[in-house]
Amino acid sequence: MAVELKMPALSPTMEEGTLAKWLVKEGDTVAPGDILAEIETDKATMEFEAIDEGTVGQILVPEGTENVAVGTVIAMLSGEDDGDALTAPAPTAAASEPTPVAAPLAAPAKPATSAPKSDPEIPHGTNMATVTVRDALRDGMAEEMRRDERVFVMGEEVAEYQGAYKVTQGLLAEFGPKRVIDTPITEYGFAGIGTGAAMGGLRPIVEFMTFNFAMQAIDHIINSAAKTNYMSGGQMRCPVVFRGPNGAASRVGAQHSQNYGPWYASVPGLIVIAPYDSSDAKGLMKAAIRCDDPVVFLENELVYGRSFELPEMDDHVLPIGKARIMREGSDVTIVSYSIGVGLSLDAAEQLAAEGIEAEVIDLRTLRPLDKQAVLDSLMKTNRVVVAEEGWPTCSISSEIITLCMEDGFDDLDAPVLRVCNEDVPLPYAANLEKLALLNTAGIVAAVKKVCYRD
Amino acid sequence: MLKRRVRTVLVQQLQYEDVPLAKPTRTRKAASKPDLSQSDAEFALRSLQAEHEKAKRYSASDEQMLGFYEQMLLIRRFEEKAGQLYGLGLIGGFCHLYIGQEAVAVGLQSALAEGKDSVITGYRDHGHMLAYGIDPKVIMAELTGRQAGISKGKGGSMHMFSTEHKFYGGHGIVGAQVPLGAGLAFAHKYRDDGGICLAYFGDGAANQGQVYETFNMAALWNLPIVFVIENNGYAMGTAVKRSSAETEFYRRGTAFRIPGMDVNGMDVLEVRAAAEVAFAHVREGKGPVLMELNTYRYRGHSMSDPAKYRSREEVQEQRDHNDPIERLKKELAERGKNEDDLKAIDKAIRAKVADAADFAENSPEPDADELYTDVLVGSY
Ligand SMILES: Cc1ncc(C[n+]2csc(CCOP(=O)(O)OP(=O)(O)O)c2C)c(N)n1
């Protein structure tokens, strides 16, 4: 009985990939576990193994083919045992599955839909390249490492593996093992070593594979890094950058899906940055590394692969503590950061079609917060919605709402609303996960409410 | 007198070659401390290893052999199927397969007292669930995120639990299960219920600080726990020697006076024999044991794995020459099991797994209301 070999999904966010190489040819017999092909995704080259026994029939997708969608039949395999349950045709579930592999959040590289408002920090007429957030972060680190011998990177799988999410790709080759250091899985230990090295005059970049694992190390981030300058009466500096992906990824469940923005942003002595696009990722990464204070730099796995414009400048450094107007509008202000910015921009497009012009503000830095940018926009639109991919309680949203109450009350024409994740640990089931996370529809609904248009 | 001499000799033979238990020539320390030679002589860190060496392989009845074989094969086929469903998009997120390591969970758990002892592990947990005889259907349905899953679809591959079987998960944070396991052991001791806890963790997890904090307390408080390091050679893409100063993990309890055992985790009978020795020690109230189970992971760490950190030949070598299932199959054949019987077993297991997959694919997703259930127990 012939089995269809389909382009597999090899990661939670994969929708298509390149069939880099066939390691078998037509007529070869294969056993379970034999490597059939090498497949490239935006993250890595991976091996595709045989699950069934059989003989390779026709190869339908030749090697070197790019953008092969997950589920495409790439070859046929003829089974040897007809009664064999495993060689029954693979269920065509990928098509009928109610929730496809990639949740909407996980959409691959997608150029921004509306022309974003240009960043005033970038000189007019600067040439723009299109670069993924992943590469922008890496380039930011690499440039600073070239510029300053004291800068080094440490973390799990950052060197030989090229980063669990490929953010440190190529750094080992350029800077060698003295400056690009693989650590054991010992977050508390290496966060402490990074912090101590900063106290000792170096400029460490400590990568957490994800910020979920930084909970193992949070004592050093807060008690050792954030408070030392103060406790020493300004003698002891701690210029360390703690970085890594933060927030929900795709279906990785409750322990691996959490936004720590509000946690760190509540701590005096820390700088907290959470960029959205490539330009901010690079410009703020460079600023973070040069900063004399400890920085928590929150990235987002689902945004790594998205492409955005990046100014081609020799030294693209952005100011810490400045929000950015991503889209101008006069009717309502949507305040967001990180992945929420993309959803807010999508919401703004939908709202524009209904005659509501939303201004979208990307906070970029969560501590110190650019209060003036929020208040200026509030003065203009008189209505604010906060969109945050994270829990609502004691959040950045709470903080923005407080700000509007304390300093912008007279400008408000409606209560400030927040749109956040549901107040539950993130569930694994595809339908529940979707229900739990911040989404465009929720932002649109909240905007209509504050505009009294619902 | 005679007894003491014999014991001293035994200890000298058994101590680690490079970790002498007592160095009589170094007197500086001894000046401020009591003479340790006597207590160290009694503290035979390798006494359990020695006992294991005496009868390395468990002598299983034909029926037991067949049972081990079926369980391991079920895990293998189940995991292959899970990999397939992942490729089809039916399973999402992380999915860590146990293929290659089957003998560890089967060998150890077969020696536990069901309903009395408890088990805890990390995210690579499907095999441990299956080794407990938990229905593959509810495990597979958890993988596909359905209401019928063992965690109602809310946990996924990494977060499965069965309090009925005293299986306490299913934990995604590397190393967290180690103190949790000691907590379970603490509860056994506190309630004096005769149970022990088996806490599994990886070679990578073995470097987390909380592991050593736990070793100290477990030894100090004489907790009934067996620490099991599943050394499969790699933590994601990091080979053991790149992350560990001491790669002989069974020695890592030395500083806490926890006896270590170095076990071949690719032979279910060796695993079972070692389990007998270790569990008896813990059950007798002699405190924790640290077992290193040397095994091998055939597949990638999770589903996306660049596979650049080891050679194809290395993996093939293990599959060809060290496979726990093939080893047992050969032995079953030698014991007179005929080819057709074994084929029939394989067929039945494939059918069981196919059923589980059908069930997992066709059962409904959780109700939207489930989003808000189970956050807290009480209402306030
Ligand atoms: C605290 C923490 N750090 C990092 C991770 C990411 N991570 C998951 S599994 C893993 C490797 C663990 O390897 P090992 O302990 O050897 O177990 P194995 O996967 O080989 O079974 C890493 C780094 C995590 N889940 N938790």
Side-chain angles (χ1 to χ4, degrees):
Chain A
M1 181 191 289
V3 179
E4 294 175 334
L5 293 177
K6 293 182 177 175
M7 185 72 168
L10 295 167
S11 80
T13 50
M14 175 173 168
E15 285 192 335
E16 56 177 35
T18 298
L19 210 163
K21 193 171 170 195
W22 277 107
L23 297 166
V24 292
K25 50 186 191 316
E26 292 178 5
D28 283 359
T29 50
V30 295
D34 287 354
I35 315 294
L36 301 175
E38 278 182 3
I39 289 169
E40 271 171 30
T41 69
D42 65 336
K43 281 191 201 147
T45 303
M46 286 173 289
E47 295 177 337
F48 176 37
E49 292 181 5
I51 291 157
D52 302 314
E53 277 174 336
T55 308
V56 180
Q58 205 183 350
I59 287 184
L60 298 161
V61 175
E63 63 182 30
T65 311
E66 290 177 12
N67 307 329
V68 183
V70 166
T72 309
V73 180
I74 54 177
M76 301 300 289
L77 187 73
S78 59
E80 53 150 39
D81 175 4
D82 277 359
D84 188 337
L86 254 196
T87 56
T92 49
S96 61
E97 165 70 359
T99 38
V101 201
L105 273 181
K110 170 177 138 205
T113 43
S114 71
K117 188 184 175 318
S118 63
D119 188 338
E121 303 294 335
I122 296 161
H124 224 68
T126 304
N127 257 348
M128 291 289 180
T130 303
V131 174
T132 61
V133 171
R134 174 180 286 122
D135 290 349
L137 288 166
R138 193 263 324 272
D139 293 349
M141 287 189 277
E143 286 178 20
E144 292 308 297
M145 290 176 80
R146 279 173 215 134
R147 192 178 157 269
D148 185 345
E149 274 287 317
R150 296 171 302 170
V151 181
F152 68 95
V153 184
M154 71 194 302
E156 292 158 23
E157 308 286 4
V158 297
E160 292 196 12
Y161 198 85
Q162 310 295 325
Y165 297 102
K166 267 198 170 179
V167 177
T168 52
Q169 188 166 34
L171 294 184
L172 176 65
E174 182 175 349
F175 300 103
K178 181 183 171 194
R179 298 179 69 193
V180 185
I181 304 161
D182 278 326
T183 63
I185 310 171
T186 50
E187 289 84 5
Y188 188 33
F190 69 74
I193 289 177
T195 302
M199 291 170 175
L202 300 182
R203 299 245 155 192
I205 303 171
V206 175
E207 173 176 309
F208 293 112
M209 191 176 282
T210 78
F211 260 92
N212 303 288
F213 315 141
M215 273 204 283
Q216 302 285 317
I218 200 164
D219 182 65
H220 279 310
I221 302 174
I222 294 174
N223 266 329
S224 305
K227 299 174 183 172
T228 313
N229 191 42
Y230 191 81
M231 294 189 303
S232 68
Q235 296 176 65
M236 205 141 113
R237 297 289 146 82
C238 190
V240 56
V241 177
F242 299 104
R243 54 154 291 270
N246 173 59
S250 175
R251 302 200 54 200
V252 292
Q255 290 187 331
H256 283 71
S257 314
Q258 206 166 311
N259 175 5
Y260 294 91
W263 295 45
Y264 293 113
S266 74
V267 181
L270 284 182
I271 301 288
V272 183
I273 297 172
Y276 171 59
D277 69 11
S278 304
S279 172
D280 289 347
K282 182 173 178 184
L284 289 168
M285 175 58 74
K286 285 167 65 82
I289 296 167
R290 289 186 201 182
C291 179
D292 285 329
D293 290 304
V295 178
V296 170
F297 196 96
L298 305 169
E299 303 157 12
N300 188 293
E301 189 203 328
L302 299 176
V303 177
Y304 279 152
R306 294 193 199 169
S307 295
F308 296 94
E309 287 195 328
L310 179 69
E312 290 183 320
M313 291 164 64
D314 286 344
D315 199 18
H316 173 52
V317 187
L318 290 171
I320 290 170
K322 284 268 173 288
R324 172 174 162 203
I325 299 173
M326 300 295 282
R327 182 190 194 281
E328 281 189 292
S330 50
D331 299 330
V332 59
T333 301
I334 306 175
V335 178
S336 192
Y337 62 96
S338 188
I339 194 167
V341 174
L343 298 169
S344 300
L345 289 169
D346 288 348
E349 286 304 306
Q350 283 182 31
L351 289 160
E354 299 183 44
I356 298 174
E357 285 302 329
E359 179 145 298
V360 177
I361 293 188
D362 179 355
L363 291 170
R364 303 197 289 190
T365 302
L366 305 180
R367 185 184 188 99
L369 206 55
D370 188 351
K371 297 180 179 176
Q372 204 51 51
V374 176
L375 293 171
D376 287 349
S377 185
L378 165 59
M379 205 184 296
K380 187 165 105 180
T381 64
N382 308 113
R383 294 158 209 279
V384 176
V385 165
V386 199
E388 181 170 17
E389 193 279 280
W391 290 316
T393 309
C394 303
S395 58
I396 301 297
S397 307
S398 314
E399 194 58 30
I400 298 290
I401 292 171
T402 305
L403 172 71
C404 294
M405 288 291 284
E406 286 179 346
D407 298 334
F409 189 73
D410 291 341
D411 291 320
L412 282 170
D413 281 351
V416 183
L417 292 186
R418 61 181 168 194
V419 197
C420 300
N421 293 354
E422 290 302 310
D423 200 10
V424 299
L426 199 68
Y428 164 74
N431 65 326
L432 297 185
E433 186 191 64
K434 212 167 150 188
L435 289 171
L437 291 173
L438 174 71
N439 57 59
T440 305
I443 302 171
V444 168
V447 166
K448 287 184 177 171
K449 212 162 174 180
V450 300
C451 293
Y452 303 115
R453 290 273 297 269
D454 59 334
Chain B
M1 200 57 216
L2 179 69
K3 210 170 158 194
R4 180 172 298 164
R5 217 182 61 223
V6 169
R7 189 192 280 147
T8 311
V9 169
L10 189 69
V11 169
Q12 274 167 0
Q13 276 173 353
L14 298 173
Q15 59 194 224
Y16 303 144
E17 286 124 36
D18 52 347
V19 187
L21 296 176
K23 283 185 187 160
T25 46
R26 288 178 72 190
T27 47
R28 197 169 53 83
K29 248 187 170 177
S32 57
K33 285 195 169 194
D35 178 13
L36 285 177
S37 55
Q38 186 51 39
S39 58
D40 269 1
E42 278 166 20
F43 171 52
L45 282 171
R46 300 210 66 189
S47 60
L48 301 183
Q49 182 71 22
E51 214 177 313
H52 177 45
E53 303 284 343
K54 273 190 247 154
K56 226 169 180 177
R57 302 189 83 218
Y58 181 71
S59 56
S61 67
D62 287 358
E63 198 186 331
Q64 278 177 317
M65 287 268 278
L66 210 56
F68 295 152
Y69 179 71
E70 285 176 349
Q71 276 192 312
M72 291 199 291
L73 200 59
L74 175 65
I75 296 173
R76 171 94 32 116
R77 296 287 173 252
F78 180 96
E79 295 289 65
E80 287 167 354
K81 195 72 183 176
Q84 202 174 24
L85 297 188
Y86 193 99
L88 292 170
L90 280 161
I91 298 172
F94 295 129
C95 183
H96 308 86
L97 304 181
Y98 200 59
I99 297 177
Q101 303 180 213
E102 297 91 345
V104 177
V106 170
L108 290 176
Q109 272 161 250
S110 64
L112 287 178
E114 261 213 70
K116 193 161 107 179
D117 300 327
S118 48
V119 171
I120 190 165
T121 186
Y123 42 83
R124 197 180 298 285
D125 56 358
H126 318 164
H128 306 87
M129 304 274 293
L130 291 165
Y132 249 142
I134 296 170
D135 185 358
K137 281 190 174 140
V138 298
I139 305 175
M140 199 67 99
E142 189 57 38
L143 297 184
T144 55
R146 306 306 166 98
Q147 178 79 46
I150 195 154
S151 302
K152 300 185 198 161
K154 288 153 87 165
S157 163
M158 298 188 287
H159 308 302
M160 298 205 245
F161 311 82
S162 169
T163 46
E164 182 195 339
H165 290 87
K166 291 195 184 297
F167 177 78
Y168 292 91
H171 297 268
I173 300 303
V174 166
Q177 69 271 33
V178 181
L180 297 178
L184 293 166
F186 185 94
H188 283 305
K189 189 172 177 195
Y190 191 95
R191 287 196 313 255
D192 199 16
D193 62 10
I196 65 172
C197 176
L198 196 56
Y200 294 91
F201 52 108
D203 47 272
N207 290 320
Q208 287 285 32
Q210 55 182 317
V211 170
Y212 299 91
E213 298 177 17
T214 304
F215 281 2
N216 185 44
M217 285 182 277
L220 187 66
W221 298 337
N222 220 30
L223 298 181
I225 183 165
V226 179
F227 297 107
V228 179
I229 298 182
E230 292 195 65
N231 180 1
N232 60 14
Y234 299 89
M236 274 184 79
T238 303
V240 159
K241 63 177 184 312
R242 293 207 302 115
S243 66
S244 292
E246 170 59 277
T247 57
E248 301 295 326
F249 290 97
Y250 66 90
R251 294 179 183 173
R252 289 212 180 178
T254 311
F256 308 94
R257 310 180 72 80
I258 298 176
M261 296 178 76
D262 188 19
V263 184
N264 173 12
M266 299 301 270
D267 179 349
V268 71
L269 299 182
E270 284 192 43
V271 176
R272 175 62 191 261
E276 297 284 330
V277 173
F279 296 4
H281 181 89
V282 176
R283 280 194 206 290
E284 282 162 25
K286 294 180 181 161
V289 174
L290 172 60
M291 301 177 84
E292 174 181 357
L293 275 291
N294 295 284
T295 180
Y296 198 79
R297 145 168 82 66
Y298 293 0
R299 294 296 191 93
H301 167 71
S302 178
M303 297 310 294
S304 69
D305 179 313
K308 291 277 182 285
Y309 51 86
R310 59 183 184 184
S311 68
R312 270 182 202 134
E313 292 70 35
E314 181 187 304
V315 183
Q316 204 53 47
E317 165 77 19
Q318 290 285 340
R319 282 175 181 276
D320 290 348
H321 302 296
N322 216 4
D323 187 76
I325 298 178
E326 287 304 318
R327 170 175 285 129
L328 207 59
K329 189 174 178 180
K330 228 174 88 199
E331 274 179 59
L332 281 166
E334 282 162 15
R335 286 205 190 183
K337 260 279 165 213
N338 71 44
E339 183 74 11
D340 285 349
D341 288 351
L342 292 172
K343 267 214 158 119
I345 290 172
D346 193 39
K347 204 162 169 170
I349 285 173
R350 281 170 188 269
K352 194 170 179 178
V353 168
D355 271 357
D358 280 348
F359 176 79
E361 195 185 333
N362 296 318
S363 46
E365 291 188 306
D367 277 351
D369 293 350
E370 283 291 358
L371 190 54
Y372 308 101
T373 62
D374 309 320
V375 179
L376 291 173
V377 179
S379 347
Y380 307 90

